[in-house]
Amino acid sequence: MDPFVRRLVERLHDPSKPLSRNRHFHTFDTPEGRMALKVFRRLRSLRNDILACQAEGRRARISRHVNPAGEYRIELHMERVSGRRVSMLQTAEFELLTALPGVRDALEVLDVAA
């Protein structure tokens, strides 16, 4: 992940140093800014689902797939909608996700090589 994109995503998630998308519209009008918003929204949605899954008494299952990209596979079984969500995250995205409040405690890490 581009360091600039990563920093923007961190700033969007940080409540102590908010980054207003309205005030900094020129920043988010670039390809990197649009990518940061996309990653931010995806991680926020995934965090909400992970915490909702934990509130139901279930843990999100994480498995790391060994491939050239070194991606993480996150699988959520959501009883409230009788469904499941599977997401593939790059290493940098996974690091950003686990830095969000409450996520690290809600995850169940499996060492699976596929």
PDB file of all heavy atoms in Angstrom, residues 63-93:
ATOM      1  N   SER A  63      -7.832 -16.372   8.606  1.00  0.00           N
ATOM      2  CA  SER A  63      -6.811 -17.301   8.153  1.00  0.00           C
ATOM      3  C   SER A  63      -5.916 -16.568   7.161  1.00  0.00           C
ATOM      4  O   SER A  63      -6.387 -15.783   6.356  1.00  0.00           O
ATOM      5  CB  SER A  63      -7.422 -18.544   7.510  1.00  0.00           C
ATOM      6  OG  SER A  63      -8.228 -18.199   6.420  1.00  0.00           O
ATOM      7  N   ARG A  64      -4.646 -16.808   7.257  1.00  0.00           N
ATOM      8  CA  ARG A  64      -3.695 -16.168   6.352  1.00  0.00           C
ATOM      9  C   ARG A  64      -3.360 -17.151   5.240  1.00  0.00           C
ATOM     10  O   ARG A  64      -2.896 -18.249   5.497  1.00  0.00           O
ATOM     11  CB  ARG A  64      -2.432 -15.760   7.088  1.00  0.00           C
ATOM     12  CG  ARG A  64      -1.466 -15.032   6.190  1.00  0.00           C
ATOM     13  CD  ARG A  64      -0.228 -14.611   6.961  1.00  0.00           C
ATOM     14  NE  ARG A  64       0.745 -14.109   6.046  1.00  0.00           N
ATOM     15  CZ  ARG A  64       0.976 -12.823   5.820  1.00  0.00           C
ATOM     16  NH1 ARG A  64       0.284 -11.938   6.472  1.00  0.00           N
ATOM     17  NH2 ARG A  64       1.881 -12.438   4.961  1.00  0.00           N
ATOM     18  N   HIS A  65      -3.604 -16.735   4.042  1.00  0.00           N
ATOM     19  CA  HIS A  65      -3.294 -17.556   2.884  1.00  0.00           C
ATOM     20  C   HIS A  65      -1.887 -17.228   2.406  1.00  0.00           C
ATOM     21  O   HIS A  65      -1.525 -16.064   2.294  1.00  0.00           O
ATOM     22  CB  HIS A  65      -4.288 -17.298   1.751  1.00  0.00           C
ATOM     23  CG  HIS A  65      -5.625 -17.892   2.021  1.00  0.00           C
ATOM     24  ND1 HIS A  65      -5.969 -19.136   1.600  1.00  0.00           N
ATOM     25  CD2 HIS A  65      -6.685 -17.414   2.697  1.00  0.00           C
ATOM     26  CE1 HIS A  65      -7.183 -19.403   1.985  1.00  0.00           C
ATOM     27  NE2 HIS A  65      -7.650 -18.361   2.669  1.00  0.00           N
ATOM     28  N   VAL A  66      -1.114 -18.237   2.141  1.00  0.00           N
ATOM     29  CA  VAL A  66       0.240 -18.037   1.645  1.00  0.00           C
ATOM     30  C   VAL A  66       0.159 -17.957   0.120  1.00  0.00           C
ATOM     31  O   VAL A  66      -0.045 -18.953  -0.561  1.00  0.00           O
ATOM     32  CB  VAL A  66       1.169 -19.175   2.089  1.00  0.00           C
ATOM     33  CG1 VAL A  66       2.566 -18.942   1.569  1.00  0.00           C
ATOM     34  CG2 VAL A  66       1.171 -19.285   3.600  1.00  0.00           C
ATOM     35  N   ASN A  67       0.263 -16.761  -0.372  1.00  0.00           N
ATOM     36  CA  ASN A  67       0.320 -16.521  -1.805  1.00  0.00           C
ATOM     37  C   ASN A  67       1.228 -15.318  -2.027  1.00  0.00           C
ATOM     38  O   ASN A  67       1.681 -14.703  -1.068  1.00  0.00           O
ATOM     39  CB  ASN A  67      -1.094 -16.318  -2.384  1.00  0.00           C
ATOM     40  CG  ASN A  67      -1.821 -15.135  -1.800  1.00  0.00           C
ATOM     41  OD1 ASN A  67      -1.233 -14.267  -1.191  1.00  0.00           O
ATOM     42  ND2 ASN A  67      -3.122 -15.092  -1.986  1.00  0.00           N
ATOM     43  N   PRO A  68       1.527 -14.984  -3.266  1.00  0.00           N
ATOM     44  CA  PRO A  68       2.451 -13.860  -3.487  1.00  0.00           C
ATOM     45  C   PRO A  68       2.017 -12.564  -2.817  1.00  0.00           C
ATOM     46  O   PRO A  68       2.845 -11.773  -2.390  1.00  0.00           O
ATOM     47  CB  PRO A  68       2.466 -13.710  -5.015  1.00  0.00           C
ATOM     48  CG  PRO A  68       2.092 -15.045  -5.537  1.00  0.00           C
ATOM     49  CD  PRO A  68       1.141 -15.637  -4.526  1.00  0.00           C
ATOM     50  N   ALA A  69       0.706 -12.341  -2.704  1.00  0.00           N
ATOM     51  CA  ALA A  69       0.226 -11.115  -2.073  1.00  0.00           C
ATOM     52  C   ALA A  69       0.204 -11.225  -0.551  1.00  0.00           C
ATOM     53  O   ALA A  69       0.106 -10.227   0.144  1.00  0.00           O
ATOM     54  CB  ALA A  69      -1.171 -10.774  -2.586  1.00  0.00           C
ATOM     55  N   GLY A  70       0.277 -12.446  -0.003  1.00  0.00           N
ATOM     56  CA  GLY A  70       0.253 -12.636   1.452  1.00  0.00           C
ATOM     57  C   GLY A  70      -1.030 -12.134   2.068  1.00  0.00           C
ATOM     58  O   GLY A  70      -1.016 -11.483   3.106  1.00  0.00           O
ATOM     59  N   GLU A  71      -2.170 -12.439   1.460  1.00  0.00           N
ATOM     60  CA  GLU A  71      -3.449 -11.906   1.903  1.00  0.00           C
ATOM     61  C   GLU A  71      -4.011 -12.648   3.110  1.00  0.00           C
ATOM     62  O   GLU A  71      -3.695 -13.799   3.347  1.00  0.00           O
ATOM     63  CB  GLU A  71      -4.460 -11.980   0.760  1.00  0.00           C
ATOM     64  CG  GLU A  71      -4.092 -11.097  -0.405  1.00  0.00           C
ATOM     65  CD  GLU A  71      -5.055 -11.225  -1.561  1.00  0.00           C
ATOM     66  OE1 GLU A  71      -5.577 -12.337  -1.789  1.00  0.00           O
ATOM     67  OE2 GLU A  71      -5.274 -10.206  -2.226  1.00  0.00           O
ATOM     68  N   TYR A  72      -4.852 -11.946   3.847  1.00  0.00           N
ATOM     69  CA  TYR A  72      -5.591 -12.516   4.970  1.00  0.00           C
ATOM     70  C   TYR A  72      -7.019 -12.763   4.507  1.00  0.00           C
ATOM     71  O   TYR A  72      -7.601 -11.945   3.798  1.00  0.00           O
ATOM     72  CB  TYR A  72      -5.630 -11.548   6.154  1.00  0.00           C
ATOM     73  CG  TYR A  72      -4.329 -11.445   6.887  1.00  0.00           C
ATOM     74  CD1 TYR A  72      -3.335 -10.586   6.452  1.00  0.00           C
ATOM     75  CD2 TYR A  72      -4.102 -12.200   8.023  1.00  0.00           C
ATOM     76  CE1 TYR A  72      -2.146 -10.488   7.141  1.00  0.00           C
ATOM     77  CE2 TYR A  72      -2.912 -12.100   8.716  1.00  0.00           C
ATOM     78  CZ  TYR A  72      -1.935 -11.241   8.266  1.00  0.00           C
ATOM     79  OH  TYR A  72      -0.759 -11.141   8.939  1.00  0.00           O
ATOM     80  N   ARG A  73      -7.578 -13.870   4.921  1.00  0.00           N
ATOM     81  CA  ARG A  73      -8.979 -14.192   4.620  1.00  0.00           C
ATOM     82  C   ARG A  73      -9.744 -14.076   5.926  1.00  0.00           C
ATOM     83  O   ARG A  73      -9.433 -14.749   6.905  1.00  0.00           O
ATOM     84  CB  ARG A  73      -9.079 -15.610   4.075  1.00  0.00           C
ATOM     85  CG  ARG A  73     -10.473 -16.021   3.717  1.00  0.00           C
ATOM     86  CD  ARG A  73     -10.435 -17.417   3.086  1.00  0.00           C
ATOM     87  NE  ARG A  73     -11.715 -17.801   2.566  1.00  0.00           N
ATOM     88  CZ  ARG A  73     -12.612 -18.504   3.246  1.00  0.00           C
ATOM     89  NH1 ARG A  73     -12.359 -18.897   4.476  1.00  0.00           N
ATOM     90  NH2 ARG A  73     -13.756 -18.815   2.696  1.00  0.00           N
ATOM     91  N   ILE A  74     -10.754 -13.217   5.943  1.00  0.00           N
ATOM     92  CA  ILE A  74     -11.586 -13.017   7.123  1.00  0.00           C
ATOM     93  C   ILE A  74     -12.964 -13.573   6.804  1.00  0.00           C
ATOM     94  O   ILE A  74     -13.584 -13.206   5.809  1.00  0.00           O
ATOM     95  CB  ILE A  74     -11.684 -11.533   7.503  1.00  0.00           C
ATOM     96  CG1 ILE A  74     -10.307 -11.006   7.840  1.00  0.00           C
ATOM     97  CG2 ILE A  74     -12.657 -11.334   8.653  1.00  0.00           C
ATOM     98  CD1 ILE A  74     -10.274  -9.552   8.164  1.00  0.00           C
ATOM     99  N   GLU A  75     -13.422 -14.474   7.662  1.00  0.00           N
ATOM    100  CA  GLU A  75     -14.724 -15.092   7.461  1.00  0.00           C
ATOM    101  C   GLU A  75     -15.603 -14.796   8.668  1.00  0.00           C
ATOM    102  O   GLU A  75     -15.216 -15.052   9.806  1.00  0.00           O
ATOM    103  CB  GLU A  75     -14.564 -16.594   7.297  1.00  0.00           C
ATOM    104  CG  GLU A  75     -15.840 -17.311   6.969  1.00  0.00           C
ATOM    105  CD  GLU A  75     -15.600 -18.775   6.649  1.00  0.00           C
ATOM    106  OE1 GLU A  75     -14.490 -19.143   6.246  1.00  0.00           O
ATOM    107  OE2 GLU A  75     -16.564 -19.544   6.844  1.00  0.00           O
ATOM    108  N   LEU A  76     -16.773 -14.240   8.412  1.00  0.00           N
ATOM    109  CA  LEU A  76     -17.731 -13.899   9.463  1.00  0.00           C
ATOM    110  C   LEU A  76     -19.019 -14.670   9.228  1.00  0.00           C
ATOM    111  O   LEU A  76     -19.565 -14.656   8.130  1.00  0.00           O
ATOM    112  CB  LEU A  76     -18.062 -12.406   9.442  1.00  0.00           C
ATOM    113  CG  LEU A  76     -16.916 -11.428   9.638  1.00  0.00           C
ATOM    114  CD1 LEU A  76     -17.394 -10.020   9.351  1.00  0.00           C
ATOM    115  CD2 LEU A  76     -16.400 -11.522  11.035  1.00  0.00           C
ATOM    116  N   HIS A  77     -19.497 -15.348  10.253  1.00  0.00           N
ATOM    117  CA  HIS A  77     -20.807 -15.989  10.206  1.00  0.00           C
ATOM    118  C   HIS A  77     -21.757 -15.091  10.980  1.00  0.00           C
ATOM    119  O   HIS A  77     -21.602 -14.928  12.188  1.00  0.00           O
ATOM    120  CB  HIS A  77     -20.759 -17.390  10.825  1.00  0.00           C
ATOM    121  CG  HIS A  77     -19.925 -18.327  10.040  1.00  0.00           C
ATOM    122  ND1 HIS A  77     -20.404 -18.991   8.936  1.00  0.00           N
ATOM    123  CD2 HIS A  77     -18.631 -18.701  10.174  1.00  0.00           C
ATOM    124  CE1 HIS A  77     -19.450 -19.742   8.440  1.00  0.00           C
ATOM    125  NE2 HIS A  77     -18.362 -19.580   9.166  1.00  0.00           N
ATOM    126  N   MET A  78     -22.707 -14.500  10.269  1.00  0.00           N
ATOM    127  CA  MET A  78     -23.608 -13.544  10.890  1.00  0.00           C
ATOM    128  C   MET A  78     -24.988 -14.170  11.054  1.00  0.00           C
ATOM    129  O   MET A  78     -25.700 -14.371  10.072  1.00  0.00           O
ATOM    130  CB  MET A  78     -23.657 -12.273  10.055  1.00  0.00           C
ATOM    131  CG  MET A  78     -22.302 -11.579  10.005  1.00  0.00           C
ATOM    132  SD  MET A  78     -22.284 -10.127   8.950  1.00  0.00           S
ATOM    133  CE  MET A  78     -22.216 -10.899   7.338  1.00  0.00           C
ATOM    134  N   GLU A  79     -25.328 -14.487  12.288  1.00  0.00           N
ATOM    135  CA  GLU A  79     -26.612 -15.137  12.573  1.00  0.00           C
ATOM    136  C   GLU A  79     -27.788 -14.203  12.334  1.00  0.00           C
ATOM    137  O   GLU A  79     -28.850 -14.648  11.923  1.00  0.00           O
ATOM    138  CB  GLU A  79     -26.631 -15.643  14.015  1.00  0.00           C
ATOM    139  CG  GLU A  79     -25.646 -16.751  14.259  1.00  0.00           C
ATOM    140  CD  GLU A  79     -25.575 -17.153  15.721  1.00  0.00           C
ATOM    141  OE1 GLU A  79     -26.265 -16.536  16.559  1.00  0.00           O
ATOM    142  OE2 GLU A  79     -24.828 -18.092  16.015  1.00  0.00           O
ATOM    143  N   ARG A  80     -27.601 -12.910  12.575  1.00  0.00           N
ATOM    144  CA  ARG A  80     -28.723 -11.984  12.478  1.00  0.00           C
ATOM    145  C   ARG A  80     -29.269 -11.878  11.060  1.00  0.00           C
ATOM    146  O   ARG A  80     -30.424 -11.536  10.871  1.00  0.00           O
ATOM    147  CB  ARG A  80     -28.330 -10.608  13.017  1.00  0.00           C
ATOM    148  CG  ARG A  80     -27.347  -9.847  12.166  1.00  0.00           C
ATOM    149  CD  ARG A  80     -26.928  -8.553  12.860  1.00  0.00           C
ATOM    150  NE  ARG A  80     -26.109  -7.719  12.022  1.00  0.00           N
ATOM    151  CZ  ARG A  80     -24.844  -7.974  11.702  1.00  0.00           C
ATOM    152  NH1 ARG A  80     -24.253  -9.059  12.156  1.00  0.00           N
ATOM    153  NH2 ARG A  80     -24.159  -7.152  10.935  1.00  0.00           N
ATOM    154  N   VAL A  81     -28.452 -12.178  10.055  1.00  0.00           N
ATOM    155  CA  VAL A  81     -28.921 -12.128   8.669  1.00  0.00           C
ATOM    156  C   VAL A  81     -28.826 -13.496   7.996  1.00  0.00           C
ATOM    157  O   VAL A  81     -29.015 -13.607   6.791  1.00  0.00           O
ATOM    158  CB  VAL A  81     -28.146 -11.081   7.839  1.00  0.00           C
ATOM    159  CG1 VAL A  81     -28.443  -9.685   8.313  1.00  0.00           C
ATOM    160  CG2 VAL A  81     -26.662 -11.371   7.842  1.00  0.00           C
ATOM    161  N   SER A  82     -28.514 -14.520   8.768  1.00  0.00           N
ATOM    162  CA  SER A  82     -28.368 -15.885   8.252  1.00  0.00           C
ATOM    163  C   SER A  82     -27.436 -15.914   7.047  1.00  0.00           C
ATOM    164  O   SER A  82     -27.772 -16.430   5.981  1.00  0.00           O
ATOM    165  CB  SER A  82     -29.725 -16.470   7.874  1.00  0.00           C
ATOM    166  OG  SER A  82     -30.550 -16.539   8.991  1.00  0.00           O
ATOM    167  N   GLY A  83     -26.276 -15.339   7.208  1.00  0.00           N
ATOM    168  CA  GLY A  83     -25.325 -15.304   6.104  1.00  0.00           C
ATOM    169  C   GLY A  83     -23.899 -15.280   6.594  1.00  0.00           C
ATOM    170  O   GLY A  83     -23.625 -15.422   7.785  1.00  0.00           O
ATOM    171  N   ARG A  84     -23.009 -15.132   5.648  1.00  0.00           N
ATOM    172  CA  ARG A  84     -21.608 -15.009   6.014  1.00  0.00           C
ATOM    173  C   ARG A  84     -20.937 -14.024   5.083  1.00  0.00           C
ATOM    174  O   ARG A  84     -21.405 -13.778   3.971  1.00  0.00           O
ATOM    175  CB  ARG A  84     -20.916 -16.355   6.009  1.00  0.00           C
ATOM    176  CG  ARG A  84     -20.502 -16.860   4.703  1.00  0.00           C
ATOM    177  CD  ARG A  84     -19.835 -18.198   4.831  1.00  0.00           C
ATOM    178  NE  ARG A  84     -19.305 -18.499   3.511  1.00  0.00           N
ATOM    179  CZ  ARG A  84     -18.476 -19.432   3.244  1.00  0.00           C
ATOM    180  NH1 ARG A  84     -18.064 -20.222   4.186  1.00  0.00           N
ATOM    181  NH2 ARG A  84     -18.034 -19.619   2.026  1.00  0.00           N
ATOM    182  N   ARG A  85     -19.848 -13.468   5.553  1.00  0.00           N
ATOM    183  CA  ARG A  85     -19.070 -12.500   4.791  1.00  0.00           C
ATOM    184  C   ARG A  85     -17.637 -12.990   4.762  1.00  0.00           C
ATOM    185  O   ARG A  85     -17.066 -13.314   5.798  1.00  0.00           O
ATOM    186  CB  ARG A  85     -19.144 -11.130   5.456  1.00  0.00           C
ATOM    187  CG  ARG A  85     -18.294 -10.089   4.778  1.00  0.00           C
ATOM    188  CD  ARG A  85     -18.402  -8.749   5.451  1.00  0.00           C
ATOM    189  NE  ARG A  85     -17.587  -7.775   4.758  1.00  0.00           N
ATOM    190  CZ  ARG A  85     -17.607  -6.487   5.003  1.00  0.00           C
ATOM    191  NH1 ARG A  85     -18.405  -6.005   5.930  1.00  0.00           N
ATOM    192  NH2 ARG A  85     -16.826  -5.666   4.327  1.00  0.00           N
ATOM    193  N   VAL A  86     -17.071 -13.023   3.577  1.00  0.00           N
ATOM    194  CA  VAL A  86     -15.680 -13.415   3.412  1.00  0.00           C
ATOM    195  C   VAL A  86     -14.961 -12.249   2.743  1.00  0.00           C
ATOM    196  O   VAL A  86     -15.398 -11.757   1.705  1.00  0.00           O
ATOM    197  CB  VAL A  86     -15.536 -14.686   2.550  1.00  0.00           C
ATOM    198  CG1 VAL A  86     -14.072 -15.013   2.322  1.00  0.00           C
ATOM    199  CG2 VAL A  86     -16.247 -15.849   3.208  1.00  0.00           C
ATOM    200  N   SER A  87     -13.872 -11.782   3.346  1.00  0.00           N
ATOM    201  CA  SER A  87     -13.095 -10.675   2.809  1.00  0.00           C
ATOM    202  C   SER A  87     -11.637 -11.067   2.704  1.00  0.00           C
ATOM    203  O   SER A  87     -11.110 -11.743   3.589  1.00  0.00           O
ATOM    204  CB  SER A  87     -13.212  -9.440   3.706  1.00  0.00           C
ATOM    205  OG  SER A  87     -14.525  -8.982   3.756  1.00  0.00           O
ATOM    206  N   MET A  88     -11.001 -10.630   1.643  1.00  0.00           N
ATOM    207  CA  MET A  88      -9.566 -10.828   1.467  1.00  0.00           C
ATOM    208  C   MET A  88      -8.897  -9.469   1.671  1.00  0.00           C
ATOM    209  O   MET A  88      -9.274  -8.488   1.036  1.00  0.00           O
ATOM    210  CB  MET A  88      -9.255 -11.358   0.075  1.00  0.00           C
ATOM    211  CG  MET A  88      -9.897 -12.697  -0.232  1.00  0.00           C
ATOM    212  SD  MET A  88      -9.317 -14.038   0.805  1.00  0.00           S
ATOM    213  CE  MET A  88      -7.682 -14.286   0.160  1.00  0.00           C
ATOM    214  N   LEU A  89      -7.930  -9.428   2.584  1.00  0.00           N
ATOM    215  CA  LEU A  89      -7.237  -8.180   2.892  1.00  0.00           C
ATOM    216  C   LEU A  89      -5.746  -8.324   2.640  1.00  0.00           C
ATOM    217  O   LEU A  89      -5.159  -9.360   2.942  1.00  0.00           O
ATOM    218  CB  LEU A  89      -7.430  -7.801   4.361  1.00  0.00           C
ATOM    219  CG  LEU A  89      -8.840  -7.532   4.842  1.00  0.00           C
ATOM    220  CD1 LEU A  89      -8.820  -7.227   6.328  1.00  0.00           C
ATOM    221  CD2 LEU A  89      -9.452  -6.384   4.080  1.00  0.00           C
ATOM    222  N   GLN A  90      -5.140  -7.274   2.134  1.00  0.00           N
ATOM    223  CA  GLN A  90      -3.691  -7.231   2.032  1.00  0.00           C
ATOM    224  C   GLN A  90      -3.127  -7.059   3.437  1.00  0.00           C
ATOM    225  O   GLN A  90      -3.834  -6.686   4.368  1.00  0.00           O
ATOM    226  CB  GLN A  90      -3.249  -6.055   1.162  1.00  0.00           C
ATOM    227  CG  GLN A  90      -3.724  -6.117  -0.254  1.00  0.00           C
ATOM    228  CD  GLN A  90      -3.378  -4.841  -1.006  1.00  0.00           C
ATOM    229  OE1 GLN A  90      -2.824  -3.894  -0.448  1.00  0.00           O
ATOM    230  NE2 GLN A  90      -3.727  -4.802  -2.274  1.00  0.00           N
ATOM    231  N   THR A  91      -1.845  -7.327   3.587  1.00  0.00           N
ATOM    232  CA  THR A  91      -1.210  -7.231   4.899  1.00  0.00           C
ATOM    233  C   THR A  91      -1.380  -5.836   5.504  1.00  0.00           C
ATOM    234  O   THR A  91      -1.712  -5.698   6.685  1.00  0.00           O
ATOM    235  CB  THR A  91       0.280  -7.593   4.805  1.00  0.00           C
ATOM    236  OG1 THR A  91       0.381  -8.917   4.258  1.00  0.00           O
ATOM    237  CG2 THR A  91       0.957  -7.551   6.146  1.00  0.00           C
ATOM    238  N   ALA A  92      -1.178  -4.792   4.713  1.00  0.00           N
ATOM    239  CA  ALA A  92      -1.302  -3.424   5.221  1.00  0.00           C
ATOM    240  C   ALA A  92      -2.739  -3.131   5.655  1.00  0.00           C
ATOM    241  O   ALA A  92      -2.961  -2.481   6.682  1.00  0.00           O
ATOM    242  CB  ALA A  92      -0.854  -2.420   4.163  1.00  0.00           C
ATOM    243  N   GLU A  93      -3.722  -3.615   4.904  1.00  0.00           N
ATOM    244  CA  GLU A  93      -5.119  -3.409   5.276  1.00  0.00           C
ATOM    245  C   GLU A  93      -5.441  -4.148   6.567  1.00  0.00           C
ATOM    246  O   GLU A  93      -6.164  -3.633   7.418  1.00  0.00           O
ATOM    247  CB  GLU A  93      -6.042  -3.900   4.155  1.00  0.00           C
ATOM    248  CG  GLU A  93      -5.977  -3.082   2.896  1.00  0.00           C
ATOM    249  CD  GLU A  93      -6.761  -3.686   1.763  1.00  0.00           C
ATOM    250  OE1 GLU A  93      -6.904  -4.924   1.711  1.00  0.00           O
ATOM    251  OE2 GLU A  93      -7.237  -2.916   0.914  1.00  0.00           O
TER     252      GLU A  93
END
